[in-house]
Amino acid sequence: MLSLKKITSIILLLSFLILAYTGSMLYIAPQGRVAYWAIWKFAGLTKTEYTNIHIMFSLIFLIFGILHIYYNWKAIIHYLKNKHKKLVILTPNFIIALLITLLTFLGTYYNLKPFNTVIIFSDNIKTYWEKVLGTPPISHGELLSLENFCTKFNIDLQKAESILKENEIKINSPNDTLKTIAIKNNTTPQKIYELIRNAKELSQNKTTNSTEENTPTGLGKLTLKEMSELYNINFEKAKDILKTKGFKFDDNTKIKDISIQKGMLPVDIYKMLKK
């Protein structure tokens, strides 16, 4: 005979396992701009698919969690009673559970050790993906149409289309986004860009926006050393320049935290050190 109480418990168990898995994958997944540009996948699922599944099962877990509380209300109340069977909210068990919860919340909110090490480790994994997969020339460039992308980076559209056709990349329309073209051809926006990036306009009336193209994204989450390694910047010289200008930092300080000291953006730090 079917039992909603038993079904609720089983759904909670299965939802917990799925949330644990998708949460772990999102923890190690690249930053969105990198994942979408390279169409990162793990076990056949993209970051977007992991995110959507995680959101849906969070909702399922919430709904059936409420049902679980309803069906087990007597047991929960029993946990809040003392040895004399009197209801006491602040039992030792409740206080310990509350303290652990508050400590975790506040430690994470204020970025305190050891809680911040969990976040730092995730950031380090995401930085690793940037080194392996590369970064897009512009955030969410995969959402630009081929025509707009070529215009933005001064790439000859006809030459780009010719190069793609030579490499057996089928294009229905130049108004298709790089993402759409990539998916239809079982490749990535990154690979398409690598094919067409050298198809520059030869007209003297047009100039290449090299600064915009060569300025990387996602700099804020990097440390100075990581940015130096990624973008061929002399680390020791970079430290001297920043210290001379009054910036305060250590080996673990992120570029975003360095830049805000002077009301700047991470890209401003990058441009300063690349001069």
Side-chain angles (χ1 to χ4, degrees), residues 36 39 48 141-144 176-184 189 192:
Y36 305 143
I39 307 186
T48 298
E142 74 281 355
L143 299 179
L144 291 175
D176 287 345
T177 65
L178 266 65
K179 180 180 179 181
T180 299
I181 296 171
I183 292 174
K184 286 182 178 179
I192 291 175

Side-chain angles (χ1 to χ4, degrees), residues 28-197:
I28 66 170
Q31 294 288 353
R33 64 185 182 279
V34 177
Y36 305 143
W37 182 246
I39 307 186
W40 175 87
K41 287 185 177 182
F42 189 91
L45 298 177
T46 64
K47 183 172 183 177
T48 298
E49 290 164 340
Y50 275 116
T51 301
N52 292 342
I53 292 170
H54 192 79
I55 290 172
M56 286 306 302
F57 276 93
S58 294
L59 180 60
I60 294 295
F61 194 83
L62 174 63
I63 294 171
F64 284 90
I66 293 172
L67 270 176
H68 183 74
I69 292 173
Y70 171 76
Y71 284 124
N72 294 276
W73 185 249
K74 289 183 180 180
I76 294 171
I77 294 299
H78 178 73
Y79 297 151
L80 298 177
K81 290 182 179 180
N82 59 20
K83 61 183 179 180
H84 301 295
K85 304 297 182 181
K86 291 183 178 181
L87 182 65
V88 180
I89 300 296
L90 297 179
T91 62
N93 292 325
F94 183 87
I95 292 172
I96 291 174
L98 181 63
L99 286 175
I100 292 173
T101 302
L102 286 175
L103 184 63
T104 303
F105 178 86
L106 294 174
T108 304
Y109 179 80
Y110 288 106
N111 199 32
L112 302 176
K113 292 183 178 181
F115 303 98
N116 64 348
T117 56
V118 177
I119 307 302
I120 291 172
F121 184 67
S122 178
D123 287 343
N124 290 338
I125 295 174
K126 296 181 188 305
T127 300
Y128 162 79
W129 284 120
E130 290 189 16
K131 293 178 181 178
V132 173
L133 301 176
T135 57
I138 183 174
S139 291
H140 300 296
E142 74 281 355
L143 299 179
L144 291 175
S145 69
L146 178 62
E147 183 176 7
N148 288 340
F149 189 89
C150 289
T151 299
K152 191 168 190 66
F153 293 107
N154 202 27
I155 295 172
D156 185 296
L157 177 59
Q158 290 185 340
K159 188 174 180 180
E161 289 181 305
S162 177
I163 291 172
L164 293 176
K165 287 179 181 178
E166 288 174 3
N167 286 272
E168 299 182 347
I169 303 294
K170 297 179 180 178
I171 307 168
N172 293 331
S173 167
N175 292 320
D176 287 345
T177 65
L178 266 65
K179 180 180 179 181
T180 299
I181 296 171
I183 292 174
K184 286 182 178 179
N185 289 275
N186 196 30
T187 185
T188 67
Q190 181 185 46
K191 294 292 179 61
I192 291 175
Y193 174 60
E194 288 173 356
L195 289 172
I196 68 174
R197 65 184 301 173

